[in-house]
Amino acid sequence: MNEELEVSAAGAGKIMLVGIGPGSVDHMTQRARAAIAEADVVIGYVTYIKLVADLIEGKEIIRKSMTEELDRAVSALEAARAGKKVALISSGDAGVYGMAGPTYEVLFQAGWTPDDPVAVEIIPGASALNSCAALVGAPLTHDFCAISLSDLLTPWPTIARRLDAVAMADFVVALYNPKSGRRTRQILEAQRLFLRHRRPDTPVAIVKSAYRRRENIVFTTLDSMAEADIGMLSTVLIGNSNTFVRHGLMVTPRGYANKYDMEEGGATRDGERAGRSLSTGLLGWLETLQAEHAAGDSIDTLAARHRLPADYIRDTLAEPVEIEMAAAEEGEA
Ligand code: SAH
C-alpha cells in the first residue's frame, strides 16, 4: 500500500453533521454527544452552541448566524482538509431544514466525493415534529408531512402549492418556520389555504421552544390559530379530518376503528379480517370500482366520486384484479 496515502488518510479530517434534538441534553443521542466530544472544532448557531456548553470546553468554536449557512459549510471543509474533526451543529435533525444539504452542496462544488480522505458523518436527531408531537399527544400517528413557511429560499407559489396539495390530501401537517419578525403574513396565507379544504374546528397545536426553558404549548383550532402567539421557535401542528383533542391531548387515529369495534372489546367488524387489507383497501376497492363501472358509472363519475384522476381510474379498470393469497401482510394490523 502507498505509505503516503495511508498517512494522509490517518490524518484526514472529518465533518460530522450533528442533530442535537429539540434543545435539551436529555433528548440528545449518545452519538451526538460523543461526536461533539470528539470534535476539534464546533461550528453552529450561537443558541445551539450554548446548549452543548458542557461539552465544548477547550475546543475551537465558530459561532455563526442563521444566514451564514454556506459559510459554515465552507469553514467546515477548510478545517477538515487541515485534518481536523469538525462538528456542525443543527437543532433537531441536521437533514431536516438543516445543514446536511448545504454541506453536501458545498462539498460537491469543491470536488469532494465519498472516496475523499475527508469523511462525512450525519448524526440523526429528533426533529421538531417528533419533539412537538410527543408534547401534545399523538398527532402524527397517520400520514403527515412537514412544510416550511420560510420564503427566504423558496418562492411563495411553491410553498402555497404544497400547502394546498397536502391540505386537500388530508395530511397532518407540521409547519416549520411559521413566522418571524419580518415574515408575519405567511401563516395567515397557510390558514386561508387550509380552510378551503378543512373544517374551521380542525385541531391545531402550537408548540414553542419544545424541551427548552421557555416551552409553551397552545391548543387552538384552524380558524383561530392566527390569534395565537407564534414565532421563530414555534412549530404548528395541524390535524387531519380525523384528529381530535381529548383531555388536553391531540390524537390522530391510526385507523383501528375502521377495522375493529373499539367499544365492543375490539371485535373485528363485519367484512374485515385481522392481518388483511380493509374491505376498502386496494383489492376490495378495485372490486367495488369494477362493479360500479359495470353498473354504468362512467370513468369521470368514478373519478369525481373518489377524487382521483380519471386516467388513473381508466388504467386501473383495464387491469384484472388479482387476489393475492401471500402472507405478505403478516405482522400488520
Ligand atoms: N433541523 C431542525 C429544524 C430547523 S428549521 C429540526 O429538525 O427540528 C427551524 C424551525 O424548526 C423553527 O422555526 C421551528 O419551527 C422548528 N423548531 C426547531 N426547534 C424547535 C423547538 N425546540 N420547539 C419548537 N419548534 C422548533
mmCIF file of all heavy atoms in Angstrom, residues 21-23 48 66 90-98 125-129 131-132 175-179 207-212 231-236, ligand 1:
data_model
loop_
_atom_site.group_PDB
_atom_site.id
_atom_site.type_symbol
_atom_site.label_atom_id
_atom_site.label_comp_id
_atom_site.label_asym_id
_atom_site.label_seq_id
_atom_site.Cartn_x
_atom_site.Cartn_y
_atom_site.Cartn_z
ATOM 1 N N GLY A 21 -31.269 17.310 18.491
ATOM 2 C CA GLY A 21 -32.618 17.185 19.053
ATOM 3 C C GLY A 21 -33.191 18.558 19.392
ATOM 4 O O GLY A 21 -32.644 19.583 18.983
ATOM 5 N N PRO A 22 -34.285 18.579 20.152
ATOM 6 C CA PRO A 22 -35.021 19.832 20.345
ATOM 7 C C PRO A 22 -34.266 20.894 21.146
ATOM 8 O O PRO A 22 -34.579 22.084 21.026
ATOM 9 C CB PRO A 22 -36.267 19.388 21.104
ATOM 10 C CG PRO A 22 -35.893 18.097 21.746
ATOM 11 C CD PRO A 22 -34.936 17.443 20.799
ATOM 12 N N GLY A 23 -33.336 20.489 21.975
ATOM 13 C CA GLY A 23 -32.620 21.526 22.706
ATOM 14 C C GLY A 23 -32.489 21.278 24.189
ATOM 15 O O GLY A 23 -32.341 22.230 24.959
ATOM 16 N N TYR A 48 -27.517 27.103 19.739
ATOM 17 C CA TYR A 48 -27.289 25.660 19.815
ATOM 18 C C TYR A 48 -25.957 25.354 20.470
ATOM 19 O O TYR A 48 -25.822 24.351 21.177
ATOM 20 C CB TYR A 48 -27.376 25.015 18.422
ATOM 21 C CG TYR A 48 -28.650 25.361 17.691
ATOM 22 C CD1 TYR A 48 -28.683 25.459 16.314
ATOM 23 C CD2 TYR A 48 -29.824 25.609 18.397
ATOM 24 C CE1 TYR A 48 -29.856 25.792 15.645
ATOM 25 C CE2 TYR A 48 -30.988 25.953 17.752
ATOM 26 C CZ TYR A 48 -31.004 26.046 16.375
ATOM 27 O OH TYR A 48 -32.154 26.380 15.735
ATOM 28 N N MET A 66 -27.687 32.694 11.600
ATOM 29 C CA MET A 66 -28.622 31.914 10.788
ATOM 30 C C MET A 66 -28.362 31.998 9.289
ATOM 31 O O MET A 66 -28.546 31.051 8.558
ATOM 32 C CB MET A 66 -30.050 32.432 11.016
ATOM 33 C CG MET A 66 -30.714 31.893 12.240
ATOM 34 S SD MET A 66 -31.051 30.149 12.066
ATOM 35 C CE MET A 66 -32.308 29.949 13.306
ATOM 36 N N SER A 90 -26.699 21.227 14.294
ATOM 37 C CA SER A 90 -28.044 21.664 13.894
ATOM 38 C C SER A 90 -28.997 21.306 15.022
ATOM 39 O O SER A 90 -28.814 20.280 15.679
ATOM 40 C CB SER A 90 -28.523 20.900 12.661
ATOM 41 O OG SER A 90 -27.976 21.398 11.469
ATOM 42 N N SER A 91 -30.026 22.103 15.199
ATOM 43 C CA SER A 91 -31.063 21.682 16.136
ATOM 44 C C SER A 91 -31.877 20.588 15.449
ATOM 45 O O SER A 91 -31.849 20.464 14.222
ATOM 46 C CB SER A 91 -31.961 22.858 16.508
ATOM 47 O OG SER A 91 -32.851 23.136 15.459
ATOM 48 N N GLY A 92 -32.562 19.803 16.229
ATOM 49 C CA GLY A 92 -33.397 18.741 15.654
ATOM 50 C C GLY A 92 -32.548 17.748 14.901
ATOM 51 O O GLY A 92 -31.596 17.181 15.441
ATOM 52 N N ASP A 93 -32.866 17.540 13.639
ATOM 53 C CA ASP A 93 -32.102 16.659 12.767
ATOM 54 C C ASP A 93 -31.382 17.528 11.740
ATOM 55 O O ASP A 93 -31.985 18.443 11.171
ATOM 56 C CB ASP A 93 -33.048 15.679 12.064
ATOM 57 C CG ASP A 93 -32.285 14.675 11.210
ATOM 58 O OD1 ASP A 93 -31.940 15.005 10.058
ATOM 59 O OD2 ASP A 93 -31.999 13.585 11.719
ATOM 60 N N ALA A 94 -30.110 17.224 11.497
ATOM 61 C CA ALA A 94 -29.306 18.061 10.598
ATOM 62 C C ALA A 94 -29.791 17.988 9.157
ATOM 63 O O ALA A 94 -29.482 18.853 8.340
ATOM 64 C CB ALA A 94 -27.842 17.644 10.678
ATOM 65 N N GLY A 95 -30.559 16.938 8.841
ATOM 66 C CA GLY A 95 -31.044 16.789 7.480
ATOM 67 C C GLY A 95 -32.427 17.397 7.256
ATOM 68 O O GLY A 95 -32.919 17.417 6.134
ATOM 69 N N VAL A 96 -33.066 17.864 8.327
ATOM 70 C CA VAL A 96 -34.404 18.444 8.199
ATOM 71 C C VAL A 96 -34.278 19.969 8.286
ATOM 72 O O VAL A 96 -34.039 20.511 9.364
ATOM 73 C CB VAL A 96 -35.347 17.914 9.305
ATOM 74 C CG1 VAL A 96 -36.723 18.554 9.191
ATOM 75 C CG2 VAL A 96 -35.463 16.396 9.208
ATOM 76 N N TYR A 97 -34.410 20.633 7.162
ATOM 77 C CA TYR A 97 -34.196 22.080 7.087
ATOM 78 C C TYR A 97 -32.909 22.467 7.815
ATOM 79 O O TYR A 97 -32.864 23.479 8.512
ATOM 80 C CB TYR A 97 -35.385 22.861 7.678
ATOM 81 C CG TYR A 97 -36.720 22.469 7.106
ATOM 82 C CD1 TYR A 97 -37.694 21.894 7.903
ATOM 83 C CD2 TYR A 97 -36.990 22.659 5.749
ATOM 84 C CE1 TYR A 97 -38.931 21.521 7.371
ATOM 85 C CE2 TYR A 97 -38.215 22.288 5.219
ATOM 86 C CZ TYR A 97 -39.173 21.720 6.034
ATOM 87 O OH TYR A 97 -40.384 21.359 5.518
ATOM 88 N N GLY A 98 -31.891 21.647 7.669
ATOM 89 C CA GLY A 98 -30.650 21.876 8.406
ATOM 90 C C GLY A 98 -29.437 21.951 7.506
ATOM 91 O O GLY A 98 -29.547 22.216 6.299
ATOM 92 N N GLY A 125 -30.997 13.246 14.657
ATOM 93 C CA GLY A 125 -31.555 13.727 15.921
ATOM 94 C C GLY A 125 -33.059 13.818 15.808
ATOM 95 O O GLY A 125 -33.609 13.784 14.710
ATOM 96 N N ALA A 126 -33.723 13.941 16.947
ATOM 97 C CA ALA A 126 -35.185 14.087 16.928
ATOM 98 C C ALA A 126 -35.524 15.453 16.357
ATOM 99 O O ALA A 126 -35.075 16.481 16.862
ATOM 100 C CB ALA A 126 -35.746 13.938 18.334
ATOM 101 N N SER A 127 -36.283 15.463 15.268
ATOM 102 C CA SER A 127 -36.665 16.727 14.645
ATOM 103 C C SER A 127 -37.796 17.396 15.435
ATOM 104 O O SER A 127 -38.445 16.753 16.266
ATOM 105 C CB SER A 127 -37.100 16.447 13.206
ATOM 106 O OG SER A 127 -37.254 17.655 12.501
ATOM 107 N N ALA A 128 -38.013 18.676 15.152
ATOM 108 C CA ALA A 128 -39.051 19.414 15.886
ATOM 109 C C ALA A 128 -40.403 18.711 15.814
ATOM 110 O O ALA A 128 -41.156 18.711 16.785
ATOM 111 C CB ALA A 128 -39.173 20.840 15.348
ATOM 112 N N LEU A 129 -40.692 18.078 14.672
ATOM 113 C CA LEU A 129 -42.010 17.444 14.597
ATOM 114 C C LEU A 129 -42.132 16.272 15.560
ATOM 115 O O LEU A 129 -43.199 16.015 16.113
ATOM 116 C CB LEU A 129 -42.395 17.084 13.157
ATOM 117 C CG LEU A 129 -41.639 16.101 12.298
ATOM 118 C CD1 LEU A 129 -41.999 14.666 12.629
ATOM 119 C CD2 LEU A 129 -41.967 16.363 10.837
ATOM 120 N N SER A 131 -40.442 16.017 18.510
ATOM 121 C CA SER A 131 -40.481 16.562 19.868
ATOM 122 C C SER A 131 -41.821 17.221 20.155
ATOM 123 O O SER A 131 -42.414 17.007 21.214
ATOM 124 C CB SER A 131 -39.394 17.630 20.047
ATOM 125 O OG SER A 131 -38.200 17.203 19.473
ATOM 126 N N CYS A 132 -42.276 18.027 19.210
ATOM 127 C CA CYS A 132 -43.526 18.762 19.433
ATOM 128 C C CYS A 132 -44.706 17.790 19.500
ATOM 129 O O CYS A 132 -45.596 17.951 20.327
ATOM 130 C CB CYS A 132 -43.724 19.817 18.343
ATOM 131 S SG CYS A 132 -42.428 21.073 18.376
ATOM 132 N N LEU A 175 -45.886 22.629 10.411
ATOM 133 C CA LEU A 175 -45.349 23.824 9.755
ATOM 134 C C LEU A 175 -44.105 24.286 10.501
ATOM 135 O O LEU A 175 -44.167 24.658 11.682
ATOM 136 C CB LEU A 175 -46.384 24.954 9.748
ATOM 137 C CG LEU A 175 -47.678 24.714 8.965
ATOM 138 C CD1 LEU A 175 -48.618 25.911 9.113
ATOM 139 C CD2 LEU A 175 -47.382 24.437 7.492
ATOM 140 N N TYR A 176 -42.970 24.228 9.802
ATOM 141 C CA TYR A 176 -41.714 24.748 10.349
ATOM 142 C C TYR A 176 -41.575 26.210 9.930
ATOM 143 O O TYR A 176 -42.166 26.631 8.937
ATOM 144 C CB TYR A 176 -40.516 23.970 9.782
ATOM 145 C CG TYR A 176 -40.278 22.611 10.399
ATOM 146 C CD1 TYR A 176 -41.150 21.557 10.186
ATOM 147 C CD2 TYR A 176 -39.144 22.366 11.177
ATOM 148 C CE1 TYR A 176 -40.913 20.302 10.735
ATOM 149 C CE2 TYR A 176 -38.888 21.116 11.726
ATOM 150 C CZ TYR A 176 -39.779 20.091 11.505
ATOM 151 O OH TYR A 176 -39.531 18.854 12.050
ATOM 152 N N ASN A 177 -40.770 26.949 10.652
ATOM 153 C CA ASN A 177 -40.523 28.371 10.341
ATOM 154 C C ASN A 177 -41.827 29.117 10.051
ATOM 155 O O ASN A 177 -41.953 29.806 9.041
ATOM 156 C CB ASN A 177 -39.597 28.491 9.115
ATOM 157 C CG ASN A 177 -38.258 27.824 9.337
ATOM 158 O OD1 ASN A 177 -37.529 28.168 10.265
ATOM 159 N ND2 ASN A 177 -37.929 26.847 8.512
ATOM 160 N N PRO A 178 -42.822 28.996 10.954
ATOM 161 C CA PRO A 178 -44.145 29.534 10.627
ATOM 162 C C PRO A 178 -44.190 31.063 10.581
ATOM 163 O O PRO A 178 -44.974 31.624 9.826
ATOM 164 C CB PRO A 178 -45.040 28.998 11.742
ATOM 165 C CG PRO A 178 -44.109 28.757 12.886
ATOM 166 C CD PRO A 178 -42.806 28.342 12.287
ATOM 167 N N LYS A 179 -43.348 31.707 11.372
ATOM 168 C CA LYS A 179 -43.471 33.159 11.491
ATOM 169 C C LYS A 179 -42.188 33.736 12.077
ATOM 170 O O LYS A 179 -41.544 33.095 12.904
ATOM 171 C CB LYS A 179 -44.631 33.459 12.454
ATOM 172 C CG LYS A 179 -45.194 34.856 12.394
ATOM 173 C CD LYS A 179 -46.440 34.891 13.274
ATOM 174 C CE LYS A 179 -47.018 36.278 13.369
ATOM 175 N NZ LYS A 179 -48.196 36.323 14.249
ATOM 176 N N VAL A 207 -46.529 24.608 19.336
ATOM 177 C CA VAL A 207 -45.529 24.300 20.357
ATOM 178 C C VAL A 207 -44.341 25.221 20.163
ATOM 179 O O VAL A 207 -43.742 25.272 19.090
ATOM 180 C CB VAL A 207 -45.065 22.836 20.257
ATOM 181 C CG1 VAL A 207 -44.084 22.530 21.387
ATOM 182 C CG2 VAL A 207 -46.249 21.893 20.305
ATOM 183 N N LYS A 208 -44.044 25.947 21.222
ATOM 184 C CA LYS A 208 -42.925 26.886 21.174
ATOM 185 C C LYS A 208 -41.812 26.361 22.074
ATOM 186 O O LYS A 208 -42.077 25.897 23.181
ATOM 187 C CB LYS A 208 -43.427 28.238 21.687
ATOM 188 C CG LYS A 208 -42.471 29.395 21.481
ATOM 189 C CD LYS A 208 -43.135 30.658 21.981
ATOM 190 C CE LYS A 208 -42.469 31.881 21.423
ATOM 191 N NZ LYS A 208 -43.252 33.080 21.724
ATOM 192 N N SER A 209 -40.599 26.395 21.569
ATOM 193 C CA SER A 209 -39.422 26.016 22.364
ATOM 194 C C SER A 209 -39.577 24.673 23.075
ATOM 195 O O SER A 209 -39.347 24.568 24.286
ATOM 196 C CB SER A 209 -39.092 27.096 23.394
ATOM 197 O OG SER A 209 -38.729 28.279 22.735
ATOM 198 N N ALA A 210 -39.961 23.657 22.325
ATOM 199 C CA ALA A 210 -40.120 22.323 22.904
ATOM 200 C C ALA A 210 -38.857 21.889 23.649
ATOM 201 O O ALA A 210 -37.748 22.028 23.125
ATOM 202 C CB ALA A 210 -40.430 21.313 21.793
ATOM 203 N N TYR A 211 -39.039 21.378 24.857
ATOM 204 C CA TYR A 211 -37.936 20.880 25.690
ATOM 205 C C TYR A 211 -36.860 21.939 25.967
ATOM 206 O O TYR A 211 -35.711 21.609 26.192
ATOM 207 C CB TYR A 211 -37.314 19.618 25.079
ATOM 208 C CG TYR A 211 -38.300 18.475 24.980
ATOM 209 C CD1 TYR A 211 -38.909 18.156 23.777
ATOM 210 C CD2 TYR A 211 -38.638 17.741 26.114
ATOM 211 C CE1 TYR A 211 -39.827 17.131 23.683
ATOM 212 C CE2 TYR A 211 -39.547 16.705 26.043
ATOM 213 C CZ TYR A 211 -40.147 16.407 24.810
ATOM 214 O OH TYR A 211 -41.054 15.387 24.734
ATOM 215 N N ARG A 212 -37.296 23.209 25.890
ATOM 216 C CA ARG A 212 -36.374 24.281 26.267
ATOM 217 C C ARG A 212 -37.007 25.068 27.396
ATOM 218 O O ARG A 212 -38.180 24.855 27.733
ATOM 219 C CB ARG A 212 -36.096 25.216 25.086
ATOM 220 C CG ARG A 212 -35.435 24.501 23.930
ATOM 221 C CD ARG A 212 -35.023 25.457 22.848
ATOM 222 N NE ARG A 212 -34.677 24.711 21.642
ATOM 223 C CZ ARG A 212 -34.250 25.265 20.528
ATOM 224 N NH1 ARG A 212 -34.100 26.566 20.451
ATOM 225 N NH2 ARG A 212 -33.954 24.530 19.484
ATOM 226 N N GLY A 231 -44.056 32.158 16.767
ATOM 227 C CA GLY A 231 -42.788 32.838 16.465
ATOM 228 C C GLY A 231 -41.787 31.916 15.805
ATOM 229 O O GLY A 231 -42.129 30.811 15.361
ATOM 230 N N MET A 232 -40.548 32.370 15.758
ATOM 231 C CA MET A 232 -39.439 31.645 15.128
ATOM 232 C C MET A 232 -39.184 30.283 15.757
ATOM 233 O O MET A 232 -38.641 29.385 15.124
ATOM 234 C CB MET A 232 -38.144 32.440 15.329
ATOM 235 C CG MET A 232 -38.047 33.656 14.492
ATOM 236 S SD MET A 232 -36.963 33.304 13.133
ATOM 237 C CE MET A 232 -35.372 33.426 13.956
ATOM 238 N N LEU A 233 -39.532 30.173 17.046
ATOM 239 C CA LEU A 233 -39.236 28.925 17.743
ATOM 240 C C LEU A 233 -40.480 28.069 17.918
ATOM 241 O O LEU A 233 -40.547 27.213 18.786
ATOM 242 C CB LEU A 233 -38.593 29.234 19.093
ATOM 243 C CG LEU A 233 -37.117 29.588 18.969
ATOM 244 C CD1 LEU A 233 -36.577 30.146 20.274
ATOM 245 C CD2 LEU A 233 -36.315 28.359 18.530
ATOM 246 N N SER A 234 -41.488 28.337 17.079
ATOM 247 C CA SER A 234 -42.723 27.560 17.169
ATOM 248 C C SER A 234 -42.825 26.591 16.005
ATOM 249 O O SER A 234 -42.356 26.878 14.900
ATOM 250 C CB SER A 234 -43.960 28.464 17.088
ATOM 251 O OG SER A 234 -43.890 29.512 18.014
ATOM 252 N N THR A 235 -43.459 25.463 16.271
ATOM 253 C CA THR A 235 -43.873 24.547 15.221
ATOM 254 C C THR A 235 -45.385 24.426 15.338
ATOM 255 O O THR A 235 -45.921 24.308 16.446
ATOM 256 C CB THR A 235 -43.192 23.168 15.391
ATOM 257 O OG1 THR A 235 -41.789 23.347 15.226
ATOM 258 C CG2 THR A 235 -43.694 22.165 14.353
ATOM 259 N N VAL A 236 -46.071 24.496 14.201
ATOM 260 C CA VAL A 236 -47.529 24.450 14.199
ATOM 261 C C VAL A 236 -47.967 23.096 13.657
ATOM 262 O O VAL A 236 -47.593 22.710 12.542
ATOM 263 C CB VAL A 236 -48.099 25.591 13.320
ATOM 264 C CG1 VAL A 236 -49.621 25.503 13.250
ATOM 265 C CG2 VAL A 236 -47.668 26.952 13.865
HETATM 266 N N1 SAH B 1 -33.328 20.998 11.888
HETATM 267 C C1 SAH B 1 -34.436 21.432 12.710
HETATM 268 C C2 SAH B 1 -35.348 22.441 12.003
HETATM 269 C C3 SAH B 1 -34.671 23.758 11.701
HETATM 270 S S1 SAH B 1 -35.769 24.932 10.972
HETATM 271 C C4 SAH B 1 -35.265 20.216 13.151
HETATM 272 O O1 SAH B 1 -35.046 19.116 12.614
HETATM 273 O O2 SAH B 1 -36.100 20.368 14.037
HETATM 274 C C5 SAH B 1 -36.219 25.895 12.402
HETATM 275 C C6 SAH B 1 -37.667 25.616 12.798
HETATM 276 O O3 SAH B 1 -37.729 24.373 13.480
HETATM 277 C C7 SAH B 1 -38.277 26.608 13.770
HETATM 278 O O4 SAH B 1 -38.792 27.751 13.110
HETATM 279 C C8 SAH B 1 -39.383 25.787 14.396
HETATM 280 O O5 SAH B 1 -40.487 25.719 13.503
HETATM 281 C C9 SAH B 1 -38.753 24.408 14.446
HETATM 282 N N2 SAH B 1 -38.139 24.105 15.762
HETATM 283 C C10 SAH B 1 -36.842 23.827 15.992
HETATM 284 N N3 SAH B 1 -36.633 23.577 17.300
HETATM 285 C C11 SAH B 1 -37.842 23.669 17.906
HETATM 286 C C12 SAH B 1 -38.278 23.518 19.271
HETATM 287 N N4 SAH B 1 -37.427 23.195 20.253
HETATM 288 N N5 SAH B 1 -39.598 23.704 19.522
HETATM 289 C C13 SAH B 1 -40.475 24.022 18.551
HETATM 290 N N6 SAH B 1 -40.098 24.175 17.250
HETATM 291 C C14 SAH B 1 -38.802 24.017 16.940
#
